[in-house]
mmCIF file of all heavy atoms in Angstrom:
data_model
loop_
_atom_site.group_PDB
_atom_site.id
_atom_site.type_symbol
_atom_site.label_atom_id
_atom_site.label_comp_id
_atom_site.label_asym_id
_atom_site.label_seq_id
_atom_site.Cartn_x
_atom_site.Cartn_y
_atom_site.Cartn_z
ATOM 1 N N ARG A 1 6.040 -2.996 18.156
ATOM 2 C CA ARG A 1 6.423 -1.683 17.597
ATOM 3 C C ARG A 1 6.872 -1.837 16.153
ATOM 4 O O ARG A 1 6.537 -1.014 15.291
ATOM 5 C CB ARG A 1 7.517 -1.037 18.448
ATOM 6 C CG ARG A 1 7.014 -0.436 19.742
ATOM 7 C CD ARG A 1 8.025 0.501 20.405
ATOM 8 N NE ARG A 1 9.364 -0.054 20.502
ATOM 9 C CZ ARG A 1 9.862 -0.653 21.581
ATOM 10 N NH1 ARG A 1 9.138 -0.795 22.667
ATOM 11 N NH2 ARG A 1 11.097 -1.107 21.575
ATOM 12 N N LYS A 2 7.648 -2.894 15.863
ATOM 13 C CA LYS A 2 8.083 -3.149 14.485
ATOM 14 C C LYS A 2 6.884 -3.478 13.590
ATOM 15 O O LYS A 2 6.832 -3.052 12.434
ATOM 16 C CB LYS A 2 9.101 -4.286 14.439
ATOM 17 C CG LYS A 2 10.463 -3.902 14.962
ATOM 18 C CD LYS A 2 11.408 -5.088 14.905
ATOM 19 C CE LYS A 2 12.749 -4.755 15.514
ATOM 20 N NZ LYS A 2 13.652 -5.936 15.526
ATOM 21 N N ALA A 3 5.929 -4.243 14.123
ATOM 22 C CA ALA A 3 4.728 -4.564 13.350
ATOM 23 C C ALA A 3 3.938 -3.297 13.037
ATOM 24 O O ALA A 3 3.457 -3.117 11.914
ATOM 25 C CB ALA A 3 3.853 -5.570 14.106
ATOM 26 N N ALA A 4 3.813 -2.418 14.030
ATOM 27 C CA ALA A 4 3.103 -1.153 13.806
ATOM 28 C C ALA A 4 3.816 -0.316 12.754
ATOM 29 O O ALA A 4 3.177 0.294 11.888
ATOM 30 C CB ALA A 4 2.981 -0.383 15.120
ATOM 31 N N GLU A 5 5.137 -0.299 12.806
ATOM 32 C CA GLU A 5 5.915 0.464 11.817
ATOM 33 C C GLU A 5 5.749 -0.159 10.425
ATOM 34 O O GLU A 5 5.651 0.557 9.426
ATOM 35 C CB GLU A 5 7.389 0.518 12.209
ATOM 36 C CG GLU A 5 8.266 1.258 11.230
ATOM 37 C CD GLU A 5 7.839 2.693 10.942
ATOM 38 O OE1 GLU A 5 7.187 3.337 11.791
ATOM 39 O OE2 GLU A 5 8.162 3.197 9.836
ATOM 40 N N ALA A 6 5.680 -1.477 10.360
ATOM 41 C CA ALA A 6 5.484 -2.144 9.073
ATOM 42 C C ALA A 6 4.121 -1.794 8.482
ATOM 43 O O ALA A 6 4.003 -1.570 7.270
ATOM 44 C CB ALA A 6 5.627 -3.661 9.238
ATOM 45 N N VAL A 7 3.096 -1.712 9.315
ATOM 46 C CA VAL A 7 1.763 -1.317 8.829
ATOM 47 C C VAL A 7 1.798 0.130 8.346
ATOM 48 O O VAL A 7 1.225 0.459 7.299
ATOM 49 C CB VAL A 7 0.676 -1.537 9.908
ATOM 50 C CG1 VAL A 7 -0.652 -0.941 9.476
ATOM 51 C CG2 VAL A 7 0.532 -3.014 10.225
ATOM 52 N N ARG A 8 2.488 1.001 9.083
ATOM 53 C CA ARG A 8 2.619 2.393 8.646
ATOM 54 C C ARG A 8 3.311 2.449 7.281
ATOM 55 O O ARG A 8 2.877 3.174 6.375
ATOM 56 C CB ARG A 8 3.418 3.220 9.673
ATOM 57 C CG ARG A 8 3.422 4.718 9.318
ATOM 58 C CD ARG A 8 4.670 5.429 9.820
ATOM 59 N NE ARG A 8 5.903 4.919 9.265
ATOM 60 C CZ ARG A 8 6.386 5.193 8.047
ATOM 61 N NH1 ARG A 8 5.719 5.954 7.207
ATOM 62 N NH2 ARG A 8 7.526 4.692 7.647
ATOM 63 N N ALA A 9 4.367 1.655 7.100
ATOM 64 C CA ALA A 9 5.086 1.641 5.822
ATOM 65 C C ALA A 9 4.187 1.112 4.701
ATOM 66 O O ALA A 9 4.206 1.635 3.582
ATOM 67 C CB ALA A 9 6.353 0.793 5.948
ATOM 68 N N PHE A 10 3.385 0.090 5.005
ATOM 69 C CA PHE A 10 2.426 -0.427 4.026
ATOM 70 C C PHE A 10 1.439 0.666 3.630
ATOM 71 O O PHE A 10 1.162 0.865 2.446
ATOM 72 C CB PHE A 10 1.678 -1.645 4.593
ATOM 73 C CG PHE A 10 0.577 -2.123 3.692
ATOM 74 C CD1 PHE A 10 0.853 -3.014 2.669
ATOM 75 C CD2 PHE A 10 -0.727 -1.675 3.850
ATOM 76 C CE1 PHE A 10 -0.156 -3.447 1.811
ATOM 77 C CE2 PHE A 10 -1.735 -2.097 3.007
ATOM 78 C CZ PHE A 10 -1.447 -2.990 1.981
ATOM 79 N N ASN A 11 0.896 1.362 4.631
ATOM 80 C CA ASN A 11 -0.065 2.439 4.348
ATOM 81 C C ASN A 11 0.563 3.502 3.455
ATOM 82 O O ASN A 11 -0.069 3.986 2.506
ATOM 83 C CB ASN A 11 -0.565 3.068 5.650
ATOM 84 C CG ASN A 11 -1.437 2.135 6.452
ATOM 85 O OD1 ASN A 11 -1.928 1.137 5.950
ATOM 86 N ND2 ASN A 11 -1.612 2.445 7.721
ATOM 87 N N HIS A 12 1.791 3.847 3.739
ATOM 88 C CA HIS A 12 2.489 4.857 2.930
ATOM 89 C C HIS A 12 2.713 4.341 1.504
ATOM 90 O O HIS A 12 2.487 5.063 0.531
ATOM 91 C CB HIS A 12 3.817 5.217 3.586
ATOM 92 C CG HIS A 12 4.609 6.214 2.816
ATOM 93 N ND1 HIS A 12 4.287 7.555 2.810
ATOM 94 C CD2 HIS A 12 5.683 6.070 2.014
ATOM 95 C CE1 HIS A 12 5.148 8.205 2.026
ATOM 96 N NE2 HIS A 12 5.995 7.324 1.543
ATOM 97 N N ALA A 13 3.144 3.096 1.384
ATOM 98 C CA ALA A 13 3.467 2.530 0.067
ATOM 99 C C ALA A 13 2.233 2.323 -0.806
ATOM 100 O O ALA A 13 2.352 2.276 -2.031
ATOM 101 C CB ALA A 13 4.198 1.199 0.240
ATOM 102 N N THR A 14 1.065 2.224 -0.190
ATOM 103 C CA THR A 14 -0.138 1.910 -0.972
ATOM 104 C C THR A 14 -1.079 3.099 -1.139
ATOM 105 O O THR A 14 -2.200 2.926 -1.631
ATOM 106 C CB THR A 14 -0.897 0.725 -0.330
ATOM 107 O OG1 THR A 14 -1.239 1.060 1.010
ATOM 108 C CG2 THR A 14 -0.058 -0.540 -0.365
ATOM 109 N N GLN A 15 -0.636 4.287 -0.779
ATOM 110 C CA GLN A 15 -1.469 5.475 -1.000
ATOM 111 C C GLN A 15 -1.590 5.743 -2.495
ATOM 112 O O GLN A 15 -0.670 5.473 -3.267
ATOM 113 C CB GLN A 15 -0.847 6.703 -0.333
ATOM 114 C CG GLN A 15 -0.961 6.708 1.151
ATOM 115 C CD GLN A 15 -0.308 7.935 1.754
ATOM 116 O OE1 GLN A 15 0.609 8.505 1.184
ATOM 117 N NE2 GLN A 15 -0.791 8.340 2.915
ATOM 118 N N ARG A 16 -2.729 6.311 -2.872
ATOM 119 C CA ARG A 16 -2.881 6.751 -4.261
ATOM 120 C C ARG A 16 -1.830 7.810 -4.562
ATOM 121 O O ARG A 16 -1.494 8.613 -3.703
ATOM 122 C CB ARG A 16 -4.253 7.378 -4.487
ATOM 123 C CG ARG A 16 -5.368 6.411 -4.608
ATOM 124 C CD ARG A 16 -6.649 7.191 -4.893
ATOM 125 N NE ARG A 16 -7.735 6.291 -5.118
ATOM 126 C CZ ARG A 16 -8.167 5.959 -6.324
ATOM 127 N NH1 ARG A 16 -7.611 6.489 -7.387
ATOM 128 N NH2 ARG A 16 -9.158 5.121 -6.460
ATOM 129 N N THR A 17 -1.367 7.806 -5.793
ATOM 130 C CA THR A 17 -0.405 8.820 -6.196
ATOM 131 C C THR A 17 -1.132 10.130 -6.484
ATOM 132 O O THR A 17 -2.361 10.163 -6.568
ATOM 133 C CB THR A 17 0.368 8.369 -7.458
ATOM 134 O OG1 THR A 17 -0.566 8.213 -8.527
ATOM 135 C CG2 THR A 17 1.123 7.074 -7.204
ATOM 136 N N ARG A 18 -0.389 11.180 -6.663
ATOM 137 C CA ARG A 18 -0.999 12.491 -6.940
ATOM 138 C C ARG A 18 -1.778 12.501 -8.237
ATOM 139 O O ARG A 18 -2.729 13.248 -8.391
ATOM 140 C CB ARG A 18 0.070 13.571 -6.962
ATOM 141 C CG ARG A 18 0.590 13.825 -5.586
ATOM 142 C CD ARG A 18 1.551 14.956 -5.545
ATOM 143 N NE ARG A 18 2.023 15.037 -4.174
ATOM 144 C CZ ARG A 18 2.915 15.856 -3.751
ATOM 145 N NH1 ARG A 18 3.484 16.694 -4.584
ATOM 146 N NH2 ARG A 18 3.285 15.866 -2.500
ATOM 147 N N ASP A 19 -1.366 11.654 -9.172
ATOM 148 C CA ASP A 19 -2.104 11.581 -10.439
ATOM 149 C C ASP A 19 -3.240 10.552 -10.366
ATOM 150 O O ASP A 19 -3.738 10.093 -11.372
ATOM 151 C CB ASP A 19 -1.161 11.287 -11.609
ATOM 152 C CG ASP A 19 -0.439 9.958 -11.484
ATOM 153 O OD1 ASP A 19 -0.586 9.287 -10.444
ATOM 154 O OD2 ASP A 19 0.284 9.599 -12.426
ATOM 155 N N ARG A 20 -3.639 10.202 -9.121
ATOM 156 C CA ARG A 20 -4.787 9.344 -8.817
ATOM 157 C C ARG A 20 -4.573 7.887 -9.218
ATOM 158 O O ARG A 20 -5.523 7.125 -9.313
ATOM 159 C CB ARG A 20 -6.080 9.872 -9.452
ATOM 160 C CG ARG A 20 -6.436 11.294 -9.097
ATOM 161 C CD ARG A 20 -6.835 11.506 -7.671
ATOM 162 N NE ARG A 20 -8.047 10.777 -7.335
ATOM 163 C CZ ARG A 20 -8.380 10.428 -6.106
ATOM 164 N NH1 ARG A 20 -7.620 10.753 -5.102
ATOM 165 N NH2 ARG A 20 -9.481 9.756 -5.873
ATOM 166 N N ARG A 21 -3.333 7.482 -9.444
ATOM 167 C CA ARG A 21 -3.070 6.071 -9.715
ATOM 168 C C ARG A 21 -3.129 5.318 -8.397
ATOM 169 O O ARG A 21 -2.648 5.798 -7.373
ATOM 170 C CB ARG A 21 -1.706 5.904 -10.372
ATOM 171 C CG ARG A 21 -1.688 6.468 -11.786
ATOM 172 C CD ARG A 21 -0.350 6.426 -12.422
ATOM 173 N NE ARG A 21 0.306 5.137 -12.237
ATOM 174 C CZ ARG A 21 1.533 4.887 -12.629
ATOM 175 N NH1 ARG A 21 2.245 5.812 -13.232
ATOM 176 N NH2 ARG A 21 2.076 3.711 -12.430
ATOM 177 N N PRO A 22 -3.718 4.132 -8.404
ATOM 178 C CA PRO A 22 -3.831 3.381 -7.148
ATOM 179 C C PRO A 22 -2.464 2.957 -6.631
ATOM 180 O O PRO A 22 -1.528 2.724 -7.399
ATOM 181 C CB PRO A 22 -4.671 2.160 -7.535
ATOM 182 C CG PRO A 22 -4.491 2.008 -8.999
ATOM 183 C CD PRO A 22 -4.252 3.397 -9.537
ATOM 184 N N GLY A 23 -2.363 2.868 -5.320
ATOM 185 C CA GLY A 23 -1.122 2.428 -4.703
ATOM 186 C C GLY A 23 -0.896 0.936 -4.855
ATOM 187 O O GLY A 23 0.216 0.448 -4.701
ATOM 188 N N ILE A 24 -1.953 0.213 -5.137
ATOM 189 C CA ILE A 24 -1.867 -1.217 -5.434
ATOM 190 C C ILE A 24 -2.453 -1.393 -6.827
ATOM 191 O O ILE A 24 -3.615 -1.090 -7.066
ATOM 192 C CB ILE A 24 -2.649 -2.064 -4.417
ATOM 193 C CG1 ILE A 24 -2.045 -1.902 -3.020
ATOM 194 C CG2 ILE A 24 -2.661 -3.523 -4.831
ATOM 195 C CD1 ILE A 24 -2.806 -2.621 -1.924
ATOM 196 N N ALA A 25 -1.639 -1.878 -7.740
ATOM 197 C CA ALA A 25 -2.057 -1.928 -9.135
ATOM 198 C C ALA A 25 -2.716 -3.237 -9.548
ATOM 199 O O ALA A 25 -3.422 -3.276 -10.553
ATOM 200 C CB ALA A 25 -0.848 -1.664 -10.042
ATOM 201 N N TYR A 26 -2.505 -4.319 -8.785
ATOM 202 C CA TYR A 26 -2.950 -5.630 -9.250
ATOM 203 C C TYR A 26 -3.677 -6.400 -8.150
ATOM 204 O O TYR A 26 -3.326 -6.309 -6.975
ATOM 205 C CB TYR A 26 -1.762 -6.439 -9.773
ATOM 206 C CG TYR A 26 -1.049 -5.709 -10.884
ATOM 207 C CD1 TYR A 26 0.169 -5.080 -10.648
ATOM 208 C CD2 TYR A 26 -1.626 -5.607 -12.142
ATOM 209 C CE1 TYR A 26 0.806 -4.378 -11.660
ATOM 210 C CE2 TYR A 26 -0.996 -4.905 -13.159
ATOM 211 C CZ TYR A 26 0.222 -4.294 -12.910
ATOM 212 O OH TYR A 26 0.842 -3.589 -13.913
ATOM 213 N N PRO A 27 -4.683 -7.187 -8.526
ATOM 214 C CA PRO A 27 -5.451 -7.935 -7.522
ATOM 215 C C PRO A 27 -4.617 -8.990 -6.790
ATOM 216 O O PRO A 27 -4.933 -9.334 -5.653
ATOM 217 C CB PRO A 27 -6.587 -8.574 -8.320
ATOM 218 C CG PRO A 27 -6.162 -8.521 -9.731
ATOM 219 C CD PRO A 27 -5.224 -7.375 -9.880
ATOM 220 N N GLY A 28 -3.575 -9.476 -7.398
ATOM 221 C CA GLY A 28 -2.714 -10.438 -6.701
ATOM 222 C C GLY A 28 -2.068 -9.817 -5.475
ATOM 223 O O GLY A 28 -1.882 -10.485 -4.451
ATOM 224 N N THR A 29 -1.751 -8.538 -5.570
ATOM 225 C CA THR A 29 -1.174 -7.837 -4.430
ATOM 226 C C THR A 29 -2.220 -7.643 -3.341
ATOM 227 O O THR A 29 -1.929 -7.768 -2.152
ATOM 228 C CB THR A 29 -0.596 -6.479 -4.873
ATOM 229 O OG1 THR A 29 0.326 -6.709 -5.934
ATOM 230 C CG2 THR A 29 0.110 -5.782 -3.731
ATOM 231 N N VAL A 30 -3.455 -7.362 -3.753
ATOM 232 C CA VAL A 30 -4.556 -7.253 -2.791
ATOM 233 C C VAL A 30 -4.694 -8.577 -2.038
ATOM 234 O O VAL A 30 -4.770 -8.606 -0.804
ATOM 235 C CB VAL A 30 -5.881 -6.885 -3.512
ATOM 236 C CG1 VAL A 30 -7.067 -7.039 -2.583
ATOM 237 C CG2 VAL A 30 -5.798 -5.481 -4.086
ATOM 238 N N TYR A 31 -4.701 -9.672 -2.766
ATOM 239 C CA TYR A 31 -4.833 -11.007 -2.173
ATOM 240 C C TYR A 31 -3.706 -11.275 -1.165
ATOM 241 O O TYR A 31 -3.958 -11.728 -0.040
ATOM 242 C CB TYR A 31 -4.829 -12.045 -3.296
ATOM 243 C CG TYR A 31 -4.869 -13.474 -2.820
ATOM 244 C CD1 TYR A 31 -6.066 -14.047 -2.395
ATOM 245 C CD2 TYR A 31 -3.720 -14.251 -2.798
ATOM 246 C CE1 TYR A 31 -6.113 -15.369 -1.962
ATOM 247 C CE2 TYR A 31 -3.757 -15.565 -2.372
ATOM 248 C CZ TYR A 31 -4.955 -16.119 -1.947
ATOM 249 O OH TYR A 31 -4.993 -17.411 -1.515
ATOM 250 N N ARG A 32 -2.474 -11.000 -1.562
ATOM 251 C CA ARG A 32 -1.335 -11.256 -0.671
ATOM 252 C C ARG A 32 -1.356 -10.350 0.551
ATOM 253 O O ARG A 32 -1.033 -10.782 1.665
ATOM 254 C CB ARG A 32 -0.020 -11.109 -1.434
ATOM 255 C CG ARG A 32 0.205 -12.198 -2.469
ATOM 256 C CD ARG A 32 1.612 -12.198 -3.052
ATOM 257 N NE ARG A 32 2.079 -10.894 -3.478
ATOM 258 C CZ ARG A 32 1.841 -10.342 -4.670
ATOM 259 N NH1 ARG A 32 1.107 -10.986 -5.565
ATOM 260 N NH2 ARG A 32 2.326 -9.153 -4.975
ATOM 261 N N ALA A 33 -1.762 -9.094 0.365
ATOM 262 C CA ALA A 33 -1.828 -8.157 1.502
ATOM 263 C C ALA A 33 -2.889 -8.604 2.503
ATOM 264 O O ALA A 33 -2.640 -8.619 3.717
ATOM 265 C CB ALA A 33 -2.110 -6.738 1.006
ATOM 266 N N ILE A 34 -4.049 -8.976 1.994
ATOM 267 C CA ILE A 34 -5.110 -9.458 2.894
ATOM 268 C C ILE A 34 -4.629 -10.700 3.638
ATOM 269 O O ILE A 34 -4.848 -10.832 4.845
ATOM 270 C CB ILE A 34 -6.407 -9.742 2.114
ATOM 271 C CG1 ILE A 34 -6.998 -8.442 1.576
ATOM 272 C CG2 ILE A 34 -7.418 -10.469 2.998
ATOM 273 C CD1 ILE A 34 -8.133 -8.655 0.581
#
């Protein structure tokens, strides 16, 4: 349940912003998330 909540929080934190800025700004973050 905690893992599922952590994924939900990740999804929320990485959504595009209203001004269309990506939720993940740098490829290093992509690498670490994967």
Side-chain angles (χ1 to χ4, degrees):
R1 283 195 312 263
K2 287 179 184 177
E5 179 56 26
V7 172
R8 187 209 61 79
F10 174 86
N11 291 344
H12 179 76
T14 58
Q15 287 179 333
R16 283 183 176 261
T17 62
R18 289 185 183 177
D19 61 355
R20 305 292 297 157
R21 291 175 46 185
I24 297 176
Y26 302 104
T29 305
V30 169
Y31 176 78
R32 291 190 312 275
I34 293 169

